[in-house]
Amino acid sequence: MSGFVVVLMAYGSPDRIEDVPAYYADIRGGRPIAPEHLDDLVARYRALGIEDSNPLNEITERTRAALEAELDLPVFTGMRHWQPRIADAAERALAAGARTIVGLVLAPHYSSLSIEKYREQLAAAVGDRAELRFVERWGAEHGFVELLADRVRGTNAHVVFTAHSLPARILAEGDPYQAELLETAQLVADRAEIGSWSFSYQSESPTGEPWLGPDILDHLGELAEDGIREVLVCPVGFVADHLEIRQDIDTEAVQRAGELGLALSRIVMPNDDPAMIRVLAGVVRREAALPAPA
Ligand code: FEC
């Protein structure tokens, strides 16, 4: 064996509805939780139908298995907020004989509040027991841009690129998150030759501080006022179907669009599409300086 092992990281999702309080507590990291926010979150997960099992985590598992087959290297999954934890994945990688661990997050754009947190967990777990090569960003990766461009090319709708919002204070801290998101959006729009597009955030949390905007629900109102009648949502900051897609876009944004007289659809998420697996494999190979397949 080459000594290279991949730890593939994702946000994580509760396995079943009864896990939601513990999952939310993990996200809050010990900070207080308002009961109404927990009730709201349980209701949102219930609407996804995860009473006894959560199909969303299966997407991550399929992605892991496909990446392992594509790379012919061991790949272990580690979740930032659920099980298996990032630390569990690190232990399994070391037990598999890892001398070099390549850390890859299933989120394309760097922020000190997102990717850096994954790195902290992985680095703490690995310690000095293996070399760590960590992929910080891959949002401008040619294959990723191409994959998204293929999904919006030829549409007559106004394309709205979206990503998870973050507290607005990150801009004053010089965080590159917003610039990287806009770069991906621009690259996809150019590649697909989209004339009419914009960017908005989604999935803001009720933490009491200002978050990056505009939020998609407000943005849809602006688009309707501008005479737009058809919108195609293209998330660029997420790569899989999960709560933020199925609830925030497919339910809340669709409902708001309906109230505004807008037709709203969204692209099929990359999930474990073979083209997506090739993108992820290419990123890992580059980070590990492994040869490309013949
Ligand atoms: O499908 C699922 O079950 C999990 C969906 C999920 C993804 C996801 C991705 C990101 N988040 C990011 C930032 C924040 C910040 C807070 C925050 C809070 C939540 C809550 C849930 C949740 N996030 Fe999330 N996020 C997902 C789910 N997220 C549930 C808690 C309820 C709520 O606030 O709505 C605020 C934390 C706090 O309270 O202090 C900040 C970012 C991403 C995209 C990058 C990544 O995937 O890591 C950034 C998927």
Side-chain angles (χ1 to χ4, degrees), residues 11-14 23-24 27-28 31 41 44-45 56 107 114 118 164 166 177 205-207 211 238 242-244:
Y11 202 83
S13 186
Y23 172 70
Y24 195 17
I27 291 174
R28 293 293 294 161
R31 284 163 301 139
L41 191 61
R44 292 171 69 218
Y45 275 107
L56 309 181
S114 65
Y118 291 85
H164 202 296
L166 280 174
Y177 185 63
S205 289
T207 57
W211 283 55
F238 303 109
H242 44 54
L243 183 76
E244 320 297 80

PDB file of all heavy atoms in Angstrom, residues 11-14 23-24 27-28 31 41 44-45 56 107 114 118 164 166 177 205-207 211 238 242-244, ligand 1:
ATOM      1  N   TYR A  11     -20.417  17.894   6.671  1.00  0.00           N
ATOM      2  CA  TYR A  11     -21.034  18.548   7.823  1.00  0.00           C
ATOM      3  C   TYR A  11     -21.655  17.521   8.761  1.00  0.00           C
ATOM      4  O   TYR A  11     -21.556  17.626   9.963  1.00  0.00           O
ATOM      5  CB  TYR A  11     -22.109  19.492   7.300  1.00  0.00           C
ATOM      6  CG  TYR A  11     -22.483  20.606   8.225  1.00  0.00           C
ATOM      7  CD1 TYR A  11     -21.735  21.772   8.274  1.00  0.00           C
ATOM      8  CD2 TYR A  11     -23.604  20.506   9.039  1.00  0.00           C
ATOM      9  CE1 TYR A  11     -22.097  22.815   9.111  1.00  0.00           C
ATOM     10  CE2 TYR A  11     -23.976  21.546   9.872  1.00  0.00           C
ATOM     11  CZ  TYR A  11     -23.202  22.697   9.897  1.00  0.00           C
ATOM     12  OH  TYR A  11     -23.550  23.720  10.729  1.00  0.00           O
ATOM     13  N   GLY A  12     -22.315  16.498   8.147  1.00  0.00           N
ATOM     14  CA  GLY A  12     -23.000  15.486   8.952  1.00  0.00           C
ATOM     15  C   GLY A  12     -24.456  15.838   9.144  1.00  0.00           C
ATOM     16  O   GLY A  12     -24.842  17.011   9.085  1.00  0.00           O
ATOM     17  N   SER A  13     -25.239  14.815   9.342  1.00  0.00           N
ATOM     18  CA  SER A  13     -26.685  14.980   9.472  1.00  0.00           C
ATOM     19  C   SER A  13     -27.164  13.955  10.490  1.00  0.00           C
ATOM     20  O   SER A  13     -26.648  12.831  10.527  1.00  0.00           O
ATOM     21  CB  SER A  13     -27.304  14.712   8.091  1.00  0.00           C
ATOM     22  OG  SER A  13     -28.676  14.971   8.097  1.00  0.00           O
ATOM     23  N   PRO A  14     -28.161  14.292  11.335  1.00  0.00           N
ATOM     24  CA  PRO A  14     -28.615  13.332  12.347  1.00  0.00           C
ATOM     25  C   PRO A  14     -29.144  12.056  11.686  1.00  0.00           C
ATOM     26  O   PRO A  14     -29.779  12.125  10.639  1.00  0.00           O
ATOM     27  CB  PRO A  14     -29.739  14.080  13.076  1.00  0.00           C
ATOM     28  CG  PRO A  14     -30.130  15.192  12.158  1.00  0.00           C
ATOM     29  CD  PRO A  14     -28.930  15.546  11.363  1.00  0.00           C
ATOM     30  N   TYR A  23     -27.465  16.650  17.956  1.00  0.00           N
ATOM     31  CA  TYR A  23     -26.812  17.210  16.758  1.00  0.00           C
ATOM     32  C   TYR A  23     -26.762  18.742  16.847  1.00  0.00           C
ATOM     33  O   TYR A  23     -25.725  19.371  16.626  1.00  0.00           O
ATOM     34  CB  TYR A  23     -27.600  16.747  15.541  1.00  0.00           C
ATOM     35  CG  TYR A  23     -27.213  17.347  14.217  1.00  0.00           C
ATOM     36  CD1 TYR A  23     -26.005  17.029  13.602  1.00  0.00           C
ATOM     37  CD2 TYR A  23     -28.080  18.212  13.548  1.00  0.00           C
ATOM     38  CE1 TYR A  23     -25.667  17.557  12.357  1.00  0.00           C
ATOM     39  CE2 TYR A  23     -27.764  18.735  12.308  1.00  0.00           C
ATOM     40  CZ  TYR A  23     -26.555  18.415  11.717  1.00  0.00           C
ATOM     41  OH  TYR A  23     -26.227  18.944  10.487  1.00  0.00           O
ATOM     42  N   TYR A  24     -27.876  19.338  17.222  1.00  0.00           N
ATOM     43  CA  TYR A  24     -27.945  20.798  17.327  1.00  0.00           C
ATOM     44  C   TYR A  24     -26.996  21.288  18.437  1.00  0.00           C
ATOM     45  O   TYR A  24     -26.321  22.303  18.299  1.00  0.00           O
ATOM     46  CB  TYR A  24     -29.390  21.225  17.604  1.00  0.00           C
ATOM     47  CG  TYR A  24     -29.670  22.703  17.391  1.00  0.00           C
ATOM     48  CD1 TYR A  24     -28.802  23.521  16.663  1.00  0.00           C
ATOM     49  CD2 TYR A  24     -30.836  23.277  17.893  1.00  0.00           C
ATOM     50  CE1 TYR A  24     -29.087  24.867  16.469  1.00  0.00           C
ATOM     51  CE2 TYR A  24     -31.132  24.613  17.700  1.00  0.00           C
ATOM     52  CZ  TYR A  24     -30.253  25.406  16.986  1.00  0.00           C
ATOM     53  OH  TYR A  24     -30.533  26.739  16.798  1.00  0.00           O
ATOM     54  N   ILE A  27     -23.598  21.463  17.041  1.00  0.00           N
ATOM     55  CA  ILE A  27     -23.422  22.655  16.177  1.00  0.00           C
ATOM     56  C   ILE A  27     -23.247  23.900  17.039  1.00  0.00           C
ATOM     57  O   ILE A  27     -22.415  24.758  16.755  1.00  0.00           O
ATOM     58  CB  ILE A  27     -24.647  22.816  15.236  1.00  0.00           C
ATOM     59  CG1 ILE A  27     -24.660  21.696  14.201  1.00  0.00           C
ATOM     60  CG2 ILE A  27     -24.636  24.174  14.548  1.00  0.00           C
ATOM     61  CD1 ILE A  27     -25.901  21.672  13.305  1.00  0.00           C
ATOM     62  N   ARG A  28     -24.016  23.992  18.113  1.00  0.00           N
ATOM     63  CA  ARG A  28     -23.948  25.186  18.973  1.00  0.00           C
ATOM     64  C   ARG A  28     -22.695  25.192  19.839  1.00  0.00           C
ATOM     65  O   ARG A  28     -22.339  26.224  20.418  1.00  0.00           O
ATOM     66  CB  ARG A  28     -25.198  25.264  19.867  1.00  0.00           C
ATOM     67  CG  ARG A  28     -26.502  25.521  19.118  1.00  0.00           C
ATOM     68  CD  ARG A  28     -26.563  26.904  18.499  1.00  0.00           C
ATOM     69  NE  ARG A  28     -26.581  27.943  19.516  1.00  0.00           N
ATOM     70  CZ  ARG A  28     -26.261  29.222  19.274  1.00  0.00           C
ATOM     71  NH1 ARG A  28     -25.869  29.609  18.084  1.00  0.00           N
ATOM     72  NH2 ARG A  28     -26.304  30.106  20.254  1.00  0.00           N
ATOM     73  N   ARG A  31     -22.974  26.614  23.352  1.00  0.00           N
ATOM     74  CA  ARG A  31     -23.710  27.874  23.540  1.00  0.00           C
ATOM     75  C   ARG A  31     -25.201  27.576  23.702  1.00  0.00           C
ATOM     76  O   ARG A  31     -25.680  26.546  23.230  1.00  0.00           O
ATOM     77  CB  ARG A  31     -23.459  28.814  22.352  1.00  0.00           C
ATOM     78  CG  ARG A  31     -22.063  29.460  22.432  1.00  0.00           C
ATOM     79  CD  ARG A  31     -21.637  30.035  21.106  1.00  0.00           C
ATOM     80  NE  ARG A  31     -21.626  28.984  20.105  1.00  0.00           N
ATOM     81  CZ  ARG A  31     -22.074  29.162  18.865  1.00  0.00           C
ATOM     82  NH1 ARG A  31     -22.560  30.307  18.482  1.00  0.00           N
ATOM     83  NH2 ARG A  31     -22.020  28.155  18.011  1.00  0.00           N
ATOM     84  N   LEU A  41     -36.147  23.314  14.384  1.00  0.00           N
ATOM     85  CA  LEU A  41     -35.228  22.414  13.676  1.00  0.00           C
ATOM     86  C   LEU A  41     -35.792  20.991  13.598  1.00  0.00           C
ATOM     87  O   LEU A  41     -35.718  20.334  12.557  1.00  0.00           O
ATOM     88  CB  LEU A  41     -33.864  22.416  14.376  1.00  0.00           C
ATOM     89  CG  LEU A  41     -32.740  21.725  13.605  1.00  0.00           C
ATOM     90  CD1 LEU A  41     -32.496  22.408  12.263  1.00  0.00           C
ATOM     91  CD2 LEU A  41     -31.442  21.727  14.417  1.00  0.00           C
ATOM     92  N   ARG A  44     -38.264  20.893  10.928  1.00  0.00           N
ATOM     93  CA  ARG A  44     -37.678  20.912   9.582  1.00  0.00           C
ATOM     94  C   ARG A  44     -37.135  19.529   9.216  1.00  0.00           C
ATOM     95  O   ARG A  44     -37.294  19.067   8.088  1.00  0.00           O
ATOM     96  CB  ARG A  44     -36.585  21.985   9.497  1.00  0.00           C
ATOM     97  CG  ARG A  44     -37.167  23.400   9.607  1.00  0.00           C
ATOM     98  CD  ARG A  44     -36.091  24.447   9.750  1.00  0.00           C
ATOM     99  NE  ARG A  44     -35.333  24.591   8.541  1.00  0.00           N
ATOM    100  CZ  ARG A  44     -34.016  24.803   8.482  1.00  0.00           C
ATOM    101  NH1 ARG A  44     -33.336  24.901   9.595  1.00  0.00           N
ATOM    102  NH2 ARG A  44     -33.407  24.928   7.341  1.00  0.00           N
ATOM    103  N   TYR A  45     -36.517  18.855  10.174  1.00  0.00           N
ATOM    104  CA  TYR A  45     -36.044  17.496   9.882  1.00  0.00           C
ATOM    105  C   TYR A  45     -37.213  16.529   9.713  1.00  0.00           C
ATOM    106  O   TYR A  45     -37.178  15.637   8.875  1.00  0.00           O
ATOM    107  CB  TYR A  45     -35.070  17.004  10.953  1.00  0.00           C
ATOM    108  CG  TYR A  45     -33.648  17.458  10.677  1.00  0.00           C
ATOM    109  CD1 TYR A  45     -33.045  18.450  11.425  1.00  0.00           C
ATOM    110  CD2 TYR A  45     -32.939  16.900   9.624  1.00  0.00           C
ATOM    111  CE1 TYR A  45     -31.751  18.871  11.152  1.00  0.00           C
ATOM    112  CE2 TYR A  45     -31.644  17.322   9.338  1.00  0.00           C
ATOM    113  CZ  TYR A  45     -31.057  18.308  10.102  1.00  0.00           C
ATOM    114  OH  TYR A  45     -29.791  18.721   9.809  1.00  0.00           O
ATOM    115  N   LEU A  56     -29.956  11.054   3.744  1.00  0.00           N
ATOM    116  CA  LEU A  56     -28.972  12.057   3.331  1.00  0.00           C
ATOM    117  C   LEU A  56     -27.547  11.584   3.622  1.00  0.00           C
ATOM    118  O   LEU A  56     -26.619  11.841   2.856  1.00  0.00           O
ATOM    119  CB  LEU A  56     -29.244  13.391   4.025  1.00  0.00           C
ATOM    120  CG  LEU A  56     -30.691  13.878   3.889  1.00  0.00           C
ATOM    121  CD1 LEU A  56     -30.860  15.207   4.587  1.00  0.00           C
ATOM    122  CD2 LEU A  56     -31.094  14.001   2.430  1.00  0.00           C
ATOM    123  N   ALA A 107     -17.137  20.582   0.749  1.00  0.00           N
ATOM    124  CA  ALA A 107     -17.587  21.972   0.643  1.00  0.00           C
ATOM    125  C   ALA A 107     -16.452  22.704  -0.079  1.00  0.00           C
ATOM    126  O   ALA A 107     -15.300  22.611   0.352  1.00  0.00           O
ATOM    127  CB  ALA A 107     -17.832  22.580   2.016  1.00  0.00           C
ATOM    128  N   SER A 114     -15.709  27.700   8.380  1.00  0.00           N
ATOM    129  CA  SER A 114     -16.144  26.381   7.891  1.00  0.00           C
ATOM    130  C   SER A 114     -14.937  25.468   7.688  1.00  0.00           C
ATOM    131  O   SER A 114     -14.601  24.669   8.570  1.00  0.00           O
ATOM    132  CB  SER A 114     -16.983  26.500   6.615  1.00  0.00           C
ATOM    133  OG  SER A 114     -16.232  27.008   5.538  1.00  0.00           O
ATOM    134  N   TYR A 118     -12.932  22.201  10.097  1.00  0.00           N
ATOM    135  CA  TYR A 118     -12.674  20.798   9.749  1.00  0.00           C
ATOM    136  C   TYR A 118     -11.186  20.501   9.926  1.00  0.00           C
ATOM    137  O   TYR A 118     -10.790  19.457  10.430  1.00  0.00           O
ATOM    138  CB  TYR A 118     -13.045  20.524   8.286  1.00  0.00           C
ATOM    139  CG  TYR A 118     -14.515  20.570   7.938  1.00  0.00           C
ATOM    140  CD1 TYR A 118     -15.162  21.757   7.631  1.00  0.00           C
ATOM    141  CD2 TYR A 118     -15.246  19.393   7.856  1.00  0.00           C
ATOM    142  CE1 TYR A 118     -16.501  21.780   7.266  1.00  0.00           C
ATOM    143  CE2 TYR A 118     -16.590  19.401   7.493  1.00  0.00           C
ATOM    144  CZ  TYR A 118     -17.207  20.610   7.201  1.00  0.00           C
ATOM    145  OH  TYR A 118     -18.526  20.622   6.843  1.00  0.00           O
ATOM    146  N   HIS A 164     -24.332  28.817   1.490  1.00  0.00           N
ATOM    147  CA  HIS A 164     -24.698  29.018   2.896  1.00  0.00           C
ATOM    148  C   HIS A 164     -24.185  30.378   3.359  1.00  0.00           C
ATOM    149  O   HIS A 164     -23.023  30.714   3.134  1.00  0.00           O
ATOM    150  CB  HIS A 164     -24.040  27.921   3.737  1.00  0.00           C
ATOM    151  CG  HIS A 164     -24.711  27.688   5.049  1.00  0.00           C
ATOM    152  ND1 HIS A 164     -24.768  28.642   6.029  1.00  0.00           N
ATOM    153  CD2 HIS A 164     -25.346  26.599   5.542  1.00  0.00           C
ATOM    154  CE1 HIS A 164     -25.413  28.145   7.075  1.00  0.00           C
ATOM    155  NE2 HIS A 164     -25.770  26.903   6.803  1.00  0.00           N
ATOM    156  N   LEU A 166     -22.953  33.168   6.143  1.00  0.00           N
ATOM    157  CA  LEU A 166     -22.134  33.137   7.358  1.00  0.00           C
ATOM    158  C   LEU A 166     -22.242  34.503   8.030  1.00  0.00           C
ATOM    159  O   LEU A 166     -22.634  35.486   7.381  1.00  0.00           O
ATOM    160  CB  LEU A 166     -20.670  32.848   7.005  1.00  0.00           C
ATOM    161  CG  LEU A 166     -20.312  31.383   6.741  1.00  0.00           C
ATOM    162  CD1 LEU A 166     -18.873  31.258   6.258  1.00  0.00           C
ATOM    163  CD2 LEU A 166     -20.517  30.531   7.996  1.00  0.00           C
ATOM    164  N   TYR A 177     -14.143  33.825   1.831  1.00  0.00           N
ATOM    165  CA  TYR A 177     -15.333  33.025   1.483  1.00  0.00           C
ATOM    166  C   TYR A 177     -16.168  33.665   0.377  1.00  0.00           C
ATOM    167  O   TYR A 177     -16.425  33.053  -0.661  1.00  0.00           O
ATOM    168  CB  TYR A 177     -16.163  32.849   2.755  1.00  0.00           C
ATOM    169  CG  TYR A 177     -17.382  31.960   2.657  1.00  0.00           C
ATOM    170  CD1 TYR A 177     -17.272  30.606   2.366  1.00  0.00           C
ATOM    171  CD2 TYR A 177     -18.663  32.464   2.902  1.00  0.00           C
ATOM    172  CE1 TYR A 177     -18.393  29.776   2.320  1.00  0.00           C
ATOM    173  CE2 TYR A 177     -19.793  31.655   2.860  1.00  0.00           C
ATOM    174  CZ  TYR A 177     -19.648  30.311   2.569  1.00  0.00           C
ATOM    175  OH  TYR A 177     -20.761  29.505   2.531  1.00  0.00           O
ATOM    176  N   SER A 205     -28.708  31.444  10.003  1.00  0.00           N
ATOM    177  CA  SER A 205     -29.149  30.929  11.306  1.00  0.00           C
ATOM    178  C   SER A 205     -29.562  32.069  12.231  1.00  0.00           C
ATOM    179  O   SER A 205     -29.028  33.170  12.130  1.00  0.00           O
ATOM    180  CB  SER A 205     -27.998  30.185  11.993  1.00  0.00           C
ATOM    181  OG  SER A 205     -27.731  28.994  11.351  1.00  0.00           O
ATOM    182  N   PRO A 206     -30.460  31.773  13.172  1.00  0.00           N
ATOM    183  CA  PRO A 206     -30.926  32.811  14.099  1.00  0.00           C
ATOM    184  C   PRO A 206     -29.952  32.994  15.260  1.00  0.00           C
ATOM    185  O   PRO A 206     -30.243  32.607  16.388  1.00  0.00           O
ATOM    186  CB  PRO A 206     -32.275  32.259  14.579  1.00  0.00           C
ATOM    187  CG  PRO A 206     -32.109  30.764  14.500  1.00  0.00           C
ATOM    188  CD  PRO A 206     -31.148  30.487  13.384  1.00  0.00           C
ATOM    189  N   THR A 207     -28.769  33.550  14.989  1.00  0.00           N
ATOM    190  CA  THR A 207     -27.766  33.663  16.052  1.00  0.00           C
ATOM    191  C   THR A 207     -27.722  35.061  16.665  1.00  0.00           C
ATOM    192  O   THR A 207     -26.918  35.314  17.551  1.00  0.00           O
ATOM    193  CB  THR A 207     -26.365  33.328  15.506  1.00  0.00           C
ATOM    194  OG1 THR A 207     -26.091  34.219  14.418  1.00  0.00           O
ATOM    195  CG2 THR A 207     -26.262  31.892  15.039  1.00  0.00           C
ATOM    196  N   TRP A 211     -25.925  38.494   9.210  1.00  0.00           N
ATOM    197  CA  TRP A 211     -25.334  37.483   8.330  1.00  0.00           C
ATOM    198  C   TRP A 211     -25.191  38.069   6.924  1.00  0.00           C
ATOM    199  O   TRP A 211     -25.837  39.050   6.575  1.00  0.00           O
ATOM    200  CB  TRP A 211     -26.210  36.219   8.306  1.00  0.00           C
ATOM    201  CG  TRP A 211     -26.045  35.367   9.541  1.00  0.00           C
ATOM    202  CD1 TRP A 211     -26.200  35.766  10.843  1.00  0.00           C
ATOM    203  CD2 TRP A 211     -25.677  33.982   9.598  1.00  0.00           C
ATOM    204  NE1 TRP A 211     -25.949  34.705  11.702  1.00  0.00           N
ATOM    205  CE2 TRP A 211     -25.641  33.602  10.953  1.00  0.00           C
ATOM    206  CE3 TRP A 211     -25.402  33.013   8.632  1.00  0.00           C
ATOM    207  CZ2 TRP A 211     -25.313  32.309  11.378  1.00  0.00           C
ATOM    208  CZ3 TRP A 211     -25.080  31.722   9.035  1.00  0.00           C
ATOM    209  CH2 TRP A 211     -25.035  31.382  10.403  1.00  0.00           C
ATOM    210  N   PHE A 238     -22.808  24.117  -1.816  1.00  0.00           N
ATOM    211  CA  PHE A 238     -23.176  22.772  -1.346  1.00  0.00           C
ATOM    212  C   PHE A 238     -23.031  21.823  -2.517  1.00  0.00           C
ATOM    213  O   PHE A 238     -23.223  22.214  -3.660  1.00  0.00           O
ATOM    214  CB  PHE A 238     -24.651  22.708  -0.931  1.00  0.00           C
ATOM    215  CG  PHE A 238     -25.050  23.671   0.126  1.00  0.00           C
ATOM    216  CD1 PHE A 238     -25.852  24.745  -0.181  1.00  0.00           C
ATOM    217  CD2 PHE A 238     -24.665  23.487   1.439  1.00  0.00           C
ATOM    218  CE1 PHE A 238     -26.259  25.634   0.791  1.00  0.00           C
ATOM    219  CE2 PHE A 238     -25.061  24.362   2.421  1.00  0.00           C
ATOM    220  CZ  PHE A 238     -25.860  25.443   2.097  1.00  0.00           C
ATOM    221  N   HIS A 242     -29.369  17.884   0.931  1.00  0.00           N
ATOM    222  CA  HIS A 242     -29.486  17.777   2.377  1.00  0.00           C
ATOM    223  C   HIS A 242     -30.467  18.828   2.848  1.00  0.00           C
ATOM    224  O   HIS A 242     -31.120  19.475   2.023  1.00  0.00           O
ATOM    225  CB  HIS A 242     -28.127  17.904   3.077  1.00  0.00           C
ATOM    226  CG  HIS A 242     -27.296  18.997   2.543  1.00  0.00           C
ATOM    227  ND1 HIS A 242     -27.756  20.280   2.466  1.00  0.00           N
ATOM    228  CD2 HIS A 242     -26.054  18.998   2.029  1.00  0.00           C
ATOM    229  CE1 HIS A 242     -26.821  21.023   1.950  1.00  0.00           C
ATOM    230  NE2 HIS A 242     -25.784  20.279   1.654  1.00  0.00           N
ATOM    231  N   LEU A 243     -30.572  18.982   4.130  1.00  0.00           N
ATOM    232  CA  LEU A 243     -31.585  19.874   4.702  1.00  0.00           C
ATOM    233  C   LEU A 243     -31.611  21.232   4.017  1.00  0.00           C
ATOM    234  O   LEU A 243     -32.672  21.761   3.709  1.00  0.00           O
ATOM    235  CB  LEU A 243     -31.295  20.041   6.201  1.00  0.00           C
ATOM    236  CG  LEU A 243     -32.291  20.891   6.968  1.00  0.00           C
ATOM    237  CD1 LEU A 243     -33.577  20.105   7.218  1.00  0.00           C
ATOM    238  CD2 LEU A 243     -31.705  21.338   8.304  1.00  0.00           C
ATOM    239  N   GLU A 244     -30.420  21.812   3.827  1.00  0.00           N
ATOM    240  CA  GLU A 244     -30.373  23.179   3.299  1.00  0.00           C
ATOM    241  C   GLU A 244     -30.903  23.262   1.869  1.00  0.00           C
ATOM    242  O   GLU A 244     -31.346  24.316   1.437  1.00  0.00           O
ATOM    243  CB  GLU A 244     -28.946  23.742   3.319  1.00  0.00           C
ATOM    244  CG  GLU A 244     -28.114  23.408   4.525  1.00  0.00           C
ATOM    245  CD  GLU A 244     -28.650  23.944   5.825  1.00  0.00           C
ATOM    246  OE1 GLU A 244     -29.569  23.298   6.353  1.00  0.00           O
ATOM    247  OE2 GLU A 244     -28.172  24.971   6.312  1.00  0.00           O
TER     248      GLU A 244
HETATM  249  O1  FEC B   1     -28.585  17.866   5.907  1.00  0.00           O
HETATM  250  C1  FEC B   1     -28.211  18.042   7.078  1.00  0.00           C
HETATM  251  O2  FEC B   1     -28.738  17.432   7.999  1.00  0.00           O
HETATM  252  C2  FEC B   1     -27.076  18.974   7.399  1.00  0.00           C
HETATM  253  C3  FEC B   1     -27.228  20.183   6.558  1.00  0.00           C
HETATM  254  C4  FEC B   1     -26.221  21.274   6.802  1.00  0.00           C
HETATM  255  C5  FEC B   1     -25.202  21.597   5.987  1.00  0.00           C
HETATM  256  C6  FEC B   1     -24.600  22.787   6.495  1.00  0.00           C
HETATM  257  C7  FEC B   1     -23.557  23.421   5.903  1.00  0.00           C
HETATM  258  C8  FEC B   1     -22.974  24.573   6.338  1.00  0.00           C
HETATM  259  N1  FEC B   1     -23.273  25.227   7.503  1.00  0.00           N
HETATM  260  C9  FEC B   1     -22.474  26.317   7.602  1.00  0.00           C
HETATM  261  C10 FEC B   1     -22.457  27.232   8.637  1.00  0.00           C
HETATM  262  C11 FEC B   1     -23.318  27.236   9.709  1.00  0.00           C
HETATM  263  C12 FEC B   1     -23.274  28.174  10.810  1.00  0.00           C
HETATM  264  C13 FEC B   1     -24.301  27.858  11.664  1.00  0.00           C
HETATM  265  C14 FEC B   1     -24.981  26.722  11.109  1.00  0.00           C
HETATM  266  C15 FEC B   1     -26.070  26.102  11.697  1.00  0.00           C
HETATM  267  C16 FEC B   1     -26.670  24.976  11.184  1.00  0.00           C
HETATM  268  C17 FEC B   1     -27.784  24.281  11.802  1.00  0.00           C
HETATM  269  C18 FEC B   1     -28.094  23.200  11.010  1.00  0.00           C
HETATM  270  C19 FEC B   1     -27.170  23.205   9.917  1.00  0.00           C
HETATM  271  N2  FEC B   1     -26.326  24.299  10.048  1.00  0.00           N
HETATM  272 FE1  FEC B   1     -24.780  24.742   8.808  1.00  0.00          FE
HETATM  273  N3  FEC B   1     -25.272  23.176   7.641  1.00  0.00           N
HETATM  274  C20 FEC B   1     -26.258  22.257   7.848  1.00  0.00           C
HETATM  275  C21 FEC B   1     -27.150  22.269   8.922  1.00  0.00           C
HETATM  276  N4  FEC B   1     -24.369  26.369   9.933  1.00  0.00           N
HETATM  277  C22 FEC B   1     -29.173  22.163  11.212  1.00  0.00           C
HETATM  278  C23 FEC B   1     -28.469  24.683  13.125  1.00  0.00           C
HETATM  279  C24 FEC B   1     -29.830  25.171  12.919  1.00  0.00           C
HETATM  280  C25 FEC B   1     -29.842  26.465  12.187  1.00  0.00           C
HETATM  281  O3  FEC B   1     -29.159  27.395  12.627  1.00  0.00           O
HETATM  282  O4  FEC B   1     -30.542  26.516  11.166  1.00  0.00           O
HETATM  283  C26 FEC B   1     -24.662  28.585  12.961  1.00  0.00           C
HETATM  284  C27 FEC B   1     -24.091  27.867  14.121  1.00  0.00           C
HETATM  285  C28 FEC B   1     -24.474  28.562  15.382  1.00  0.00           C
HETATM  286  O5  FEC B   1     -25.630  28.434  15.803  1.00  0.00           O
HETATM  287  O6  FEC B   1     -23.598  29.235  15.917  1.00  0.00           O
HETATM  288  C29 FEC B   1     -22.255  29.295  10.969  1.00  0.00           C
HETATM  289  C30 FEC B   1     -21.651  26.379   6.402  1.00  0.00           C
HETATM  290  C31 FEC B   1     -21.957  25.316   5.624  1.00  0.00           C
HETATM  291  C32 FEC B   1     -21.386  24.952   4.223  1.00  0.00           C
HETATM  292  C33 FEC B   1     -20.030  24.338   4.388  1.00  0.00           C
HETATM  293  C34 FEC B   1     -20.105  22.942   4.936  1.00  0.00           C
HETATM  294  O7  FEC B   1     -20.885  22.104   4.415  1.00  0.00           O
HETATM  295  O8  FEC B   1     -19.392  22.700   5.911  1.00  0.00           O
HETATM  296  C35 FEC B   1     -20.626  27.456   6.082  1.00  0.00           C
HETATM  297  C36 FEC B   1     -24.765  20.848   4.762  1.00  0.00           C
END
